Amino acid sequence: MTSLWVERLPPGRFRCSSHMARGVRSGTMSLPEWLLATSALLAAAVALSLVARRVHIQVTVVLVVVGFVAAWAGGPLGFKAPLDGERFEEVVVFALLPTLIFEAAIGLSVRAFFRNLGPILVLAVVGVAVSAALVGVTLNVGLGIPVAAALLFGALISATDPVAVVAVFRELGVPERLLTLVEGESLLNDGVAIVLFSILLEAALGEPVSVGGGVLEFLAVFFGGTAIGAGLGLGFALLLPWLDRNLAAALSVALAYASFVVADDVLGFSGVMAAVGAGLTYAGFAPSRASADTREACGSLWESLGYIANALLFLLIGLSISPELLAEHAGAIAVAIVVVLLARALAVVPLVSALERFARIPAVGRRNEAVLVWGGLRGGVALALALALPESLEQRDQFVAMTGGVVLATLALNATTVGWLIHRLGVDKPSRPERFLAAVTRLRAADAARKALDELHLEDEAVSSRLDGAARDARAELERIKLADHEQRDVVIRQGLSVERRTYQRLSDLGMLAAPTTRKLLHEVEDLIEEATTTGTADPGDRQQPWVDRLAAELAARLPEPAGEDPADLAYAEAVARRMAAGGALEALRLFDDVDNVDGDAVTAARQAFERLERQAARALAGVDARERAQARVATALSRVAASDALDELAEAGLLPRALARRASEEVAAAPTGRTD
């Protein structure tokens, strides 16, 4: 996303280009001074983060407020913000935004995102357009701002900021579907805001505009950027099997920035959508093509980069908002805050209701709608667009002040109270099945630890006492939770499916499963988990492959055979994995035999379903004529599983340092298997 000077390019296309390079070249700070200022900001952010944790306020809010107070208090002393308008925009757009967008995209559940793509697109496209129109018309009538200029402000302020939204909602731990809707909308609606902003900026400056050209620009910016990011992300995913953790982490940084800059500054598309496309592509392929060590390294890196970028951004937001400008336009700011909040509600609620009624999407629910409305935060993106307005626009200072006021209001008001709202509505409360499964997991962990100690003939009264206490607490929690009949079947099935999914991922990490097989199995079980979570009626023994996966399999069957892979070998490894996963699920279900408030019929029904799956895998295994190489690879992977389990047990029992156990496990996993992807 850039500052959007709109240039005509043949044949009739628009290019969004940046005028920001002049800002850096004309700066007065030397490089050492820039580094020192950045270091000071990061040190201040760390100190403020510690304070925010003690006072239980979102760190983003504390950073913005402290930055604003520092700018206000330092004004009489001659203190100036480290970045002026142009340089603030460039730092936000090209230095911070690629990190923040990519980190948010890789944190999304890809399958949850595409399952909810319909409502996400409607909220991101139609919702922004409706909100911009409502804000523009109201400001035109209430403040007398010309229609084109009022709509321009509506466009730049209506898109929820993915940076602010993700930072707050990740801290609150909201349910996955609500998080997916909020994050997905905030990531996609930026492209719509860019197009509206660029078109309406021309109109506000008195230049002719074309509706048809605007539609074409939207399609080019939105889908062009997505395609560029997805293409680069796919290339990165293809390289993952040959990259160690450090190489993959380094290349992921290159992917985030290259996709953004190539799409935005070179080709004139949406850099934000390119970063989204690259991040989602990586997130979709990583479970099947990247090792567990690589996924962990990339996850840790991007979590750290996301924190650094967030800390710098929100401090800079506070420092860049002029207190004098806010005081000068206080009346207009108050009107803008009310109008923006009301427009958000009037855009979201009817659209969601219409989707539920006519598109037959799973019900979002009134409580989630309230969180969607109140969670529509604004942040650095809106402020960067406002500061990019040309000086020739008569309302520029007023719009900058109104944008700063709305940003401060949504961060100081919405962000600090959305947690209370979520708790008040009960959105953050786990369901009875979720609490039951958590207690079952604790009980299972205590029993496993006890079994390991007994097998190793270790007697430690302190450890035994802690394990006995943990088991008693878990059993007491299980007895307190009274489940309905359908909830009992739900928890039993979800427990088995979770074990099944872990088995597939582990076998893939240890080299037994090829990437296409891993994707197929993971997608299959994830769909069943989603079905069990939402309806409680999933049948683990009835596997219906989604049409997207069936289409992908048909296309793959028409391609040349992958080097080093034989269809019989793949089928053999898949059958072994299915049988192991079903066996692990059946073993996990044994725990419910000792749980009094789970009806035996629910356990029996789930056990029969997994037994049916195990028999199907056994028949498939008997019908595969696998080569010796495939059998050797499977045997090697199974030996790795056994070695890894033994090392984990030794570490859990305290007989082996965890660091040493981890290194040994990594060495086992790194041994060659002949796997080719």
Side-chain angles (χ1 to χ4, degrees):
M1 190 198 71
T2 64
S3 56
L4 296 173
W5 289 124
V6 181
E7 301 174 357
R8 294 283 184 176
L9 292 181
R13 289 180 54 196
F14 292 90
R15 179 174 184 268
C16 305
S17 64
S18 175
H19 65 292
M20 298 315 308
R22 297 195 309 271
V24 168
R25 285 194 294 267
S26 62
T28 57
M29 274 190 174
S30 65
L31 179 58
E33 290 172 333
W34 274 103
L35 294 175
L36 183 60
T38 302
S39 301
L41 288 175
L42 283 175
V46 170
L48 292 172
S49 297
L50 296 175
V51 173
R53 292 177 183 176
R54 295 294 296 271
V55 299
H56 303 291
I57 299 177
Q58 282 82 18
V59 64
T60 52
V61 178
V62 174
L63 292 172
V64 170
V65 171
V66 170
F68 177 74
V69 171
W72 171 73
L77 301 177
F79 172 81
K80 292 184 179 180
L83 299 175
D84 59 23
E86 288 189 352
R87 280 176 288 181
F88 173 85
E89 183 201 1
E90 183 173 51
V91 168
V92 169
V93 171
F94 287 106
L96 303 180
L97 204 54
T99 292
L100 293 163
I101 295 294
F102 189 84
E103 191 266 338
I106 65 174
L108 274 175
S109 168
V110 177
R111 294 184 69 75
F113 175 83
F114 282 104
R115 276 194 297 266
N116 294 281
L117 187 58
I120 288 173
L121 282 173
V122 170
L123 290 171
V125 179
V126 182
V128 168
V130 170
S131 178
L134 291 173
V135 171
V137 171
T138 305
L139 293 183
N140 171 253
V141 174
L143 298 180
I145 299 175
V147 174
L151 291 173
L152 173 64
F153 178 78
L156 72 89
I157 204 65
S158 290
T160 57
D161 187 352
V163 177
V165 173
V166 172
V168 173
F169 274 69
R170 290 267 179 91
E171 291 182 29
L172 296 175
V174 299
E176 182 186 49
R177 188 174 185 226
L178 177 57
L179 183 65
T180 301
L181 289 173
V182 172
E183 291 190 13
E185 178 205 1
S186 64
L187 286 173
L188 298 189
N189 63 17
D190 194 53
V192 182
I194 289 174
V195 175
L196 290 177
F197 181 90
S198 61
I199 295 172
L200 293 170
L201 178 59
E202 288 187 309
L205 295 175
E207 300 178 12
V209 297
S210 168
V211 176
V215 172
L216 292 176
E217 182 182 5
F218 167 73
L219 295 175
V221 167
F222 193 90
F223 293 105
T226 304
I228 291 169
L232 292 174
L234 180 60
F236 174 62
L238 293 175
L239 294 175
L240 280 173
W242 291 276
L243 302 177
D244 63 24
R245 53 182 290 146
N246 293 326
L247 296 178
L251 197 57
S252 68
V253 177
L255 171 65
Y257 280 91
S259 59
F260 191 100
V261 175
V262 168
D264 187 291
D265 201 52
V266 177
L267 300 177
F269 298 123
S270 171
V272 169
M273 290 311 304
V276 170
L280 289 176
T281 303
Y282 164 76
F285 281 97
S288 60
R289 298 194 63 81
S291 67
D293 198 34
T294 296
R295 295 196 305 273
E296 180 185 358
C298 289
S300 298
L301 171 68
W302 282 101
E303 183 180 2
S304 300
L305 291 177
Y307 169 79
I308 293 171
N310 265 310
L312 290 174
L313 174 64
F314 285 102
L315 267 179
L316 290 173
I317 288 175
L319 291 169
S320 299
I321 296 176
S322 168
E324 294 80 9
L325 205 58
L326 296 185
E328 182 181 346
H329 298 279
I333 291 171
V335 173
I337 292 171
V338 174
V339 170
V340 168
L341 294 177
L342 288 176
R344 172 72 178 170
L346 294 174
V348 169
V349 175
L351 285 175
V352 171
S353 299
L355 284 169
E356 291 175 344
R357 181 174 181 180
F358 299 110
R360 304 292 184 184
I361 68 167
V364 174
R366 297 303 178 192
R367 294 182 300 174
N368 286 345
E369 284 182 11
V371 177
L372 276 172
V373 170
W374 200 244
L377 310 178
R378 275 67 170 181
V381 174
L383 193 58
L385 283 175
L387 291 172
L389 291 169
E391 297 288 346
S392 57
L393 182 67
E394 182 181 349
Q395 297 82 13
R396 183 187 186 279
D397 288 346
Q398 183 182 13
F399 285 176
V400 171
M402 290 165 65
T403 303
V406 171
V407 169
L408 280 178
T410 58
L411 291 175
L413 177 63
N414 297 51
T416 56
T417 57
V418 71
W420 172 87
L421 178 65
I422 288 172
H423 183 70
R424 181 71 176 175
L425 295 175
V427 175
D428 60 339
K429 294 180 180 178
S431 64
R432 286 182 300 180
E434 289 171 340
R435 289 190 291 118
F436 194 90
L437 279 173
V440 167
T441 301
R442 294 199 302 271
L443 180 59
R444 187 181 178 199
D447 288 346
R450 165 65 69 185
K451 182 180 178 181
L453 289 176
D454 291 342
E455 290 177 351
L456 293 169
H457 304 291
L458 294 176
E459 296 292 339
D460 189 314
E461 291 187 7
V463 174
S464 297
S465 177
R466 287 198 299 269
L467 291 176
D468 292 341
R472 284 195 304 270
D473 292 343
R475 288 188 181 278
E477 176 72 7
L478 291 174
E479 292 174 0
R480 286 193 296 268
I481 302 173
K482 305 301 181 184
L483 299 175
D485 291 343
H486 71 280
E487 291 175 329
Q488 294 179 23
R489 177 172 168 79
D490 173 38
V491 297
V492 175
I493 289 176
R494 287 168 64 181
Q495 178 69 18
L497 290 174
S498 66
V499 172
E500 188 180 351
R501 192 200 184 284
R502 286 199 304 272
T503 301
Y504 292 147
Q505 185 64 73
R506 193 175 188 191
L507 293 177
S508 174
D509 291 339
L510 293 174
M512 191 179 107
L513 298 176
T517 304
T518 302
R519 284 195 296 275
K520 174 184 176 181
L521 295 174
L522 289 179
H523 290 178
E524 184 181 276
V525 73
E526 285 167 358
D527 285 339
L528 284 170
I529 291 174
E530 172 70 13
E531 186 179 351
T533 303
T534 56
T535 68
T537 59
D539 184 355
D542 182 20
R543 306 297 170 110
Q544 299 294 328
Q545 194 176 18
W547 69 268
V548 175
D549 291 340
R550 291 199 304 271
L551 177 60
E554 292 176 4
L555 292 175
R558 300 177 182 274
L559 297 175
E561 177 186 328
E565 295 290 353
D566 181 85
D569 294 351
L570 297 176
Y572 177 76
E574 178 182 337
V576 172
R578 288 185 183 276
R579 190 168 185 180
M580 288 186 62
L586 288 169
E587 180 65 27
L589 297 186
R590 295 182 188 277
L591 188 61
F592 290 103
D593 293 337
D594 299 327
V595 178
D596 295 334
N597 54 342
V598 173
D599 187 73
D601 292 341
V603 180
T604 299
R607 183 175 285 121
Q608 289 174 347
F610 284 107
E611 287 174 346
R612 187 163 69 251
L613 177 64
E614 189 176 37
R615 288 194 299 270
Q616 292 171 355
R619 288 195 298 269
L621 190 59
V624 175
D625 183 19
R627 292 180 296 187
E628 182 179 346
R629 184 184 62 180
Q631 296 173 343
R633 188 169 73 176
V634 169
T636 301
L638 297 183
S639 67
R640 288 176 173 180
V641 172
S644 180
D645 287 342
L647 289 166
D648 289 342
E649 288 182 2
L650 289 172
E652 290 293 334
L655 298 176
L656 192 67
R658 288 187 178 275
L660 181 58
R662 179 183 176 183
R663 286 198 300 271
S665 183
E666 290 173 353
E667 290 173 1
V668 170
T673 63
R675 172 176 175 173
T676 57
D677 286 313

